[in-house]
Amino acid sequence: MSFEDRSFELSIIAADRVFFNGRCESIIVPAYDGQKEILAHHEAMLIAVENGQMRFCPAGSEIWQEAVVGRGFVQIFNNRVTLLVETVERPEEIDMVRAREAKERAEEQLRQKQSIQEYYHTSASLARAMARLKAAGKIRV
């Protein structure tokens, strides 16, 4: 099997930057119903992405790259994968102090009476903070 047969074109784009653009052999994203792995020649689809850790293996490399992503979606079409997310950070880019503060704020807000909309927003904030802390390897979730 040739290099081209087992890889696909991957673009990972956040609101503030293009995180990755190149050939890839596999990507695993956090979807609402669990982790989803995408390989070359995957059928066309659109997947909602949740806050969490994602990882991908660039073509020609055996080293997986990891990142924390915010909510968004991944589009798969014609052996091209586009991941569009609110945020994307490598573990070494995460500010641990800010992540801990965000976690504590979200936990405090969850203890207060909130509307349904506020509850979902706070839950998403807590999930993002927990994913960032987990990726940075400072706490176990």
Side-chain angles (χ1 to χ4, degrees), residues 70-88:
R71 291 184 288 184
F73 66 92
V74 62
Q75 178 189 31
I76 309 158
F77 183 74
N78 199 22
N79 211 34
R80 293 179 187 272
V81 176
T82 304
L83 175 61
L84 295 172
V85 289
E86 295 171 342
T87 59
V88 61

Side-chain angles (χ1 to χ4, degrees), residues 10-13 18-24 56 58-59 65 90:
L10 173 64
S11 295
I12 301 173
I13 304 167
V18 174
F19 181 78
F20 179 84
N21 196 15
R23 302 294 297 175
C24 184
F56 63 99
Q65 295 186 29
R90 294 187 190 284

Side-chain angles (χ1 to χ4, degrees), residues 29-103:
V29 296
Y32 283 92
D33 57 347
Q35 297 282 312
K36 301 290 184 194
E37 182 173 20
I38 301 163
L39 300 170
H41 308 288
H42 196 287
E43 71 177 313
M45 65 174 40
L46 190 65
I47 301 170
V49 173
E50 182 58 76
N51 291 310
Q53 288 183 279
M54 71 98 176
R55 61 185 195 263
F56 63 99
C57 186
S61 174
E62 293 183 16
I63 299 171
W64 285 78
Q65 295 186 29
E66 296 185 13
V68 175
V69 294
R71 291 184 288 184
F73 66 92
V74 62
Q75 178 189 31
I76 309 158
F77 183 74
N78 199 22
N79 211 34
R80 293 179 187 272
V81 176
T82 304
L83 175 61
L84 295 172
V85 289
E86 295 171 342
T87 59
V88 61
E89 296 174 287
R90 294 187 190 284
E92 60 271 15
E93 296 172 337
I94 295 171
D95 181 338
M96 292 301 296
V97 173
R98 284 186 55 222
R100 279 194 198 100
E101 289 171 353
K103 176 183 175 280

